[in-house]
Amino acid sequence: MSRTPQGQRASLDKQPHEVAAMFDGVAERYDLTNTVLSFGQDRSWRRSTRAALGLRPGERVLDVGAGTGVSTQELAQSGAYAVGADLSLGMLHAGKRARPQVPLLAGDALRLPFADASFDAVTISFALRNVNDTDAALRELARVTRPGGRLVVCEFSTPVNPAFRTVYLSYLMRSLPVVARTVSSNPDAYVYLAESIRAWPDQAALAGRVAAAGWGRVAWRNLTGGVVALHRGIREKGPPLGRDNS
Ligand SMILES: C[S@@+](CC[C@H](N)C(=O)[O-])C[C@H]1O[C@@H](n2cnc3c(N)ncnc32)[C@H](O)[C@@H]1O
């Protein structure tokens, strides 16, 4: 963990205790900071995630890396039963205060506290990038999803237009940390955010990893020109996947 007078941030090897502590530090102002730094786009990205999941009333959906429950609350608009899980107790406590009606549990994406095939759909918004073993997390998401169930990963990605990509990367690396200093309770976390987005696989590379983890019919859709991508997949039928103990 690196510490500065402004706060603390995880390193790019994403040790779970560092990631959890970093999110504990941003929890209080997380929802507001998100909306400011994304120019309000986060709301439409969450609505698109809900739509891509095709949820029906009465279905069970798990939101992994739910944080303060802002993404989980959006899923519940569909009439599905939406439950969130997160590693950071600070984020969960802030979520309990802000949205007491949203069910939120402590849980690690790599060892989810649910039986095999418990959910009709699973989703993870802006959190897969923070898990230190992406492939194991995608397999663990498949384990808790019923055969034929759906996955949507909502994550920052690579803008498709080269000129826009240059402007966006400059915003990420130069302006975003400066703006974060004025709104966030832990601005250093937003330097990590910029670095982790830059190091993240592009749309095609992530699709390959989703498919390799037990998801079929993998496809993606770009939002805001590829600033964010929604990757979707269907849990392949076949023998249940065991928990990954490697
Ligand atoms: C950027 S926040 C996203 C929160 C919410 N999904 C949203 O859309 O605003 C990322 C969240 O992922 C959580 N996280 C990181 N690694 C995790 C893991 N291994 N298991 C569960 N949650 C994790 C963090 O604690 C943090 O709350």
Side-chain angles (χ1 to χ4, degrees):
M1 171 81 72
S2 85
R3 279 172 195 280
T4 74
Q6 281 86 34
Q8 56 192 20
R9 49 154 296 180
S11 47
L12 287 186
D13 64 1
K14 302 169 188 176
Q15 291 305 311
H17 64 283
E18 293 188 355
V19 170
M22 178 178 73
F23 280 100
D24 288 348
V26 300
E28 271 321 307
R29 306 193 73 186
Y30 174 81
D31 293 350
L32 169 72
T33 308
N34 235 356
T35 300
V36 171
L37 295 180
S38 71
F39 304 103
Q41 291 290 299
D42 60 319
R43 294 184 182 135
S44 90
W45 297 336
R46 295 184 202 294
R47 280 196 297 274
S48 299
T49 301
R50 167 165 60 83
L53 281 160
L55 296 168
R56 291 178 289 271
E59 284 195 318
R60 287 159 304 170
V61 57
L62 173 64
D63 183 23
V64 176
T68 60
V70 60
S71 45
T72 323
Q73 183 175 37
E74 177 64 40
L75 301 175
Q77 301 279 336
S78 63
Y81 174 72
V83 58
D86 202 280
L87 202 60
S88 156
L89 294 182
M91 292 289 269
L92 291 168
H93 284 136
K96 280 281 170 207
R97 278 194 300 276
R99 313 182 169 81
Q101 77 287 3
V102 174
L104 294 173
L105 302 172
D108 183 346
L110 297 174
R111 292 189 73 81
L112 291 167
F114 300 104
D116 296 358
S118 300
F119 292 93
D120 300 295
V122 291
T123 185
I124 180 164
S125 295
F126 307 110
L128 188 58
R129 184 177 25 85
N130 301 308
V131 180
N132 71 354
D133 189 337
T134 308
D135 305 304
L138 289 165
R139 288 193 296 272
E140 180 67 348
L141 286 166
R143 181 186 69 76
V144 300
T145 307
R146 67 164 169 80
R150 292 97 66 200
L151 164 75
V152 172
V153 177
C154 172
E155 190 52 85
F156 290 110
S157 198
T158 304
V160 282
N161 177 296
F164 177 54
R165 189 160 61 232
T166 305
V167 173
Y168 170 71
L169 284 177
S170 153
Y171 166 70
L172 263 188
M173 303 311 290
R174 301 209 181 109
S175 313
L176 183 139
V178 175
V179 181
R181 214 153 274 138
T182 65
V183 268
S184 174
S185 43
N186 180 12
D188 281 2
Y190 291 85
V191 177
Y192 161 87
L193 170 72
E195 290 175 5
S196 66
I197 292 174
R198 214 171 51 159
W200 186 243
D202 68 11
Q203 288 85 334
L206 182 61
R209 292 171 75 165
V210 174
W215 297 95
R217 290 163 46 193
V218 175
W220 74 85
R221 178 183 161 215
N222 290 318
L223 304 178
T224 318
V227 167
V228 166
L230 298 184
H231 283 75
R232 56 184 191 277
I234 302 290
R235 163 80 158 82
E236 286 175 335
K237 297 190 166 46
L241 303 168
R243 190 193 290 276
D244 197 330
N245 287 318
S246 57

